[in-house]
Amino acid sequence: MPVRSIYLVRHAIAVGHRAAADDAARPLSPAGRTRMRRAAAGVAALVPGLDLIVSSPLVRTVETAEILAGAFVVRPSVVTMAALRPGGTAAAVAEGLKAHAKARSLALVGHEPGLGELAAWLTGAHVPPPFKKGAVCRIDAPAWPPDAESTLVWLATPRMLRALGHR
């Protein structure tokens, strides 16, 4: 079984809770969109390509996923997965990934604390890594669906990614 790369992406900055009656409908803020476009360019400089982007169904994550997809020369498809919603479990995400067994390189766009918990679960860490809005980490999974035998390869802050995107 070949190693697969999973990129965990926290959604970009969204409008405040008071700007939308429904939390699931909160879109990215104008600043969040701008910063994510720059960070996505940095991701595209680091990552040769993605086969697929899987997003939480919430508006802010789908918008983040679409911005990320647009940064690649060959645009990956974007699909949603309920398990990536706030409150979803790492085991449910891994189970949902069974449907994407052909993907060798994919991004998962979600929320905190779920993404940090997923990263810790995948790597067997006791403490989740921090995920600022727009941060990305790469985890290599030798098994599919991924499990605790996976390896954290790198974690990039949004500032690092924006700097790479300006090169």
Side-chain angles (χ1 to χ4, degrees), residues 98-164:
K98 285 182 180 178
H100 306 294
K102 291 184 180 179
R104 297 286 178 249
S105 178
L106 68 148
L108 304 179
V109 183
H111 312 267
E112 273 294 87
L115 277 182
E117 292 167 356
L118 177 60
W121 186 83
L122 288 170
T123 61
H126 297 289
V127 178
F131 274 91
K132 290 187 174 194
K133 291 179 181 164
V136 179
C137 82
R138 174 182 165 186
I139 294 176
D140 284 353
W144 204 257
D147 58 21
E149 299 297 317
S150 301
T151 304
L152 176 64
V153 178
W154 52 258
L155 172 66
T157 66
R159 176 180 266 174
M160 293 165 67
L161 294 167
R162 290 191 304 268
L164 282 170

Side-chain angles (χ1 to χ4, degrees), residues 21-85:
D22 178 13
D23 181 60
R26 286 192 306 129
L28 297 180
S29 70
R33 281 192 281 283
T34 298
R35 289 180 179 181
M36 191 63 213
R37 275 193 290 275
R38 291 183 195 146
V43 173
L46 285 172
V47 178
L50 292 171
D51 297 324
L52 180 68
I53 299 175
V54 182
S55 173
S56 155
L58 277 63
V59 170
R60 60 191 176 272
T61 49
V62 172
E63 289 179 347
T64 299
E66 291 292 344
I67 291 169
L68 180 61
F72 289 91
V73 174
V74 177
R75 185 183 177 98
S77 297
V78 175
V79 298
T80 61
M81 179 192 294
L84 287 167
R85 293 178 68 94

